[in-house]
Amino acid sequence: MGRTPTPVTTPESLTFRSDVTVELVKSSASDADVLFAARVSTAGEQSLDELKKDPERSKGLINYLMRDRHGSPFEHNSMTFFISAPIFVFREFMRHRVGWSYNEESGRYRELEPVFYVPGTDRKLVQQGRPGKYVFVEGTPEQHSAVKGALEESYEQSYAAYQRLLAEGVAREVARSVLPVGLYSSMYATCNARSLMHFLGLRTQHELAKVPSFPQREIEMVGEKMEAEWAKLMPLTYAAYNANGRVAP
C-alpha cells in the first residue's frame, strides 16, 4: 500500500487573529435573584415575593450585601458563555475553580483548526521592572514585525507537522503535541455573579478597583466582554460591585 500523501500547509491555509470571542448563550440571572436569597433569612417563604417586585426599590439592600461582603445571595444565578481564545488564555482561566464549570473542545476527538493568535499592534510588548513591580510598554514597529514574523513562521511549521503526523495515521491525541499554546480553542464556561466578580477582580484593571490587578491582556479582553454581558443582566448588582471597589463579596 502506498503512503498517504503529506498535506501541504501554506500561509493562506492558516488564520491569524488578535481578538477573542465571548457569547452569552444562556442565563438565569437578575438582581431579584439576590434579593429573594437574602430575604429568606428573615421572611422565609415570603421572600419569593421579591421575584414579583421591582428590584430598584431594594438597591440599598444589594449595596449593603456587597459592602459588608455577605456573598452567598450573589450565587443564586447562572451565566453560560461560549468563549473562543488562545489556549494560553484558558490555562489561566482554569485557575478559577470555585463557582465555575468548563467544557473545552478536545484535540483527542476532532482535528484542530489552523487558527492562531498574533498580537495586534495595540498590544504592549515590552516588560519593564522586576516581578511584582513591572509594567508593560509599547513595542517598536520593529518588535511588532519580529513578533508577527516569528509567530506566523512557527505556526506554519507546527501545523504542517501536525498534518504530517495525522497523514501517517498517528492518533490525534498524540499529534496535537506539536501545536503551540497560541492555537485557538473554544469552551463553555458557566459561573454565577459571585464567582464572576472574583474573576473580574483579578483579571481586569479598572479605575474603581480598591485592589490593583495585573492581568495578562488577552485574558483581560475576555473578562471585559463577559463583564459587559453581566452588567446588562444584573445592573444593580454591577453598580454595587463598582461602588464598593470591585471586591467580590
Side-chain angles (χ1 to χ4, degrees):
M1 294 179 61
R3 178 179 294 179
T4 303
T6 301
V8 176
T9 300
T10 64
E12 293 76 21
S13 64
L14 275 64
T15 299
F16 302 120
R17 293 177 55 181
S18 61
D19 65 330
V20 298
T21 302
V22 176
E23 180 183 357
L24 179 68
V25 297
K26 185 176 68 170
S27 66
S28 175
S30 70
D31 292 313
D33 299 334
V34 179
L35 297 172
F36 79 73
R39 288 207 161 106
V40 71
S41 59
T42 57
E45 67 277 6
Q46 294 179 358
S47 61
L48 289 172
D49 293 341
E50 292 298 331
L51 294 173
K52 305 172 186 176
K53 298 177 182 178
D54 181 3
E56 182 74 28
R57 59 188 286 277
S58 296
K59 64 180 180 181
L61 174 58
I62 292 177
N63 189 71
Y64 159 74
L65 295 169
M66 190 76 69
R67 185 193 69 216
D68 286 14
R69 304 193 70 183
H70 296 290
S72 58
F74 297 99
E75 297 176 3
H76 295 271
N77 55 82
S78 178
M79 293 164 278
T80 298
F81 299 91
F82 182 75
I83 302 168
S84 177
I87 287 174
F88 66 80
V89 170
F90 290 171
R91 297 304 161 262
E92 282 198 324
F93 216 116
M94 291 173 187
R95 299 298 298 164
H96 298 268
R97 299 182 295 278
V98 178
W100 288 89
S101 297
Y102 303 106
N103 281 94
E104 185 182 354
E105 69 174 285
S106 174
R108 296 184 67 193
Y109 303 120
R110 63 169 302 192
E111 182 175 339
L112 298 171
E113 297 295 322
V115 183
F116 297 95
Y117 177 73
V118 175
T121 55
D122 59 340
R123 208 300 188 188
K124 295 179 180 180
L125 290 184
V126 180
Q127 180 179 323
Q128 295 180 344
R130 56 184 175 81
K133 207 170 184 179
Y134 57 79
V135 295
F136 283 87
V137 298
E138 303 290 343
T140 65
E142 292 76 18
Q143 287 171 323
H144 277 283
S145 178
V147 168
K148 182 176 184 294
L151 287 178
E152 291 184 0
E153 180 182 3
S154 173
Y155 294 153
E156 290 164 15
Q157 293 178 357
S158 65
Y159 199 76
Y162 176 63
Q163 289 188 309
R164 286 196 300 271
L165 291 175
L166 294 179
E168 292 285 350
V170 174
R172 288 183 291 266
E173 65 184 55
V174 176
R176 64 178 174 171
S177 301
V178 302
L179 295 172
V181 294
L183 181 78
Y184 273 71
S185 186
S186 60
M187 72 171 179
Y188 289 103
T190 298
C191 63
N192 58 57
R194 189 183 191 184
S195 55
L196 181 58
M197 284 186 275
H198 181 261
F199 175 87
L200 295 174
L202 290 173
R203 302 301 182 178
T204 61
Q205 290 183 320
H206 198 282
E207 61 183 4
L208 297 177
K210 287 182 180 178
V211 181
S213 181
F214 306 95
Q216 183 165 341
R217 178 54 190 155
E218 288 76 13
I219 196 170
E220 184 178 34
M221 291 160 58
V222 173
E224 289 169 348
K225 291 178 179 291
M226 297 175 74
E227 181 173 342
E229 295 292 345
W230 171 55
K232 290 183 284 188
L233 294 171
M234 303 178 73
L236 301 180
T237 301
Y238 180 64
Y241 177 60
N242 283 317
N244 289 279
R246 295 175 66 89
V247 176

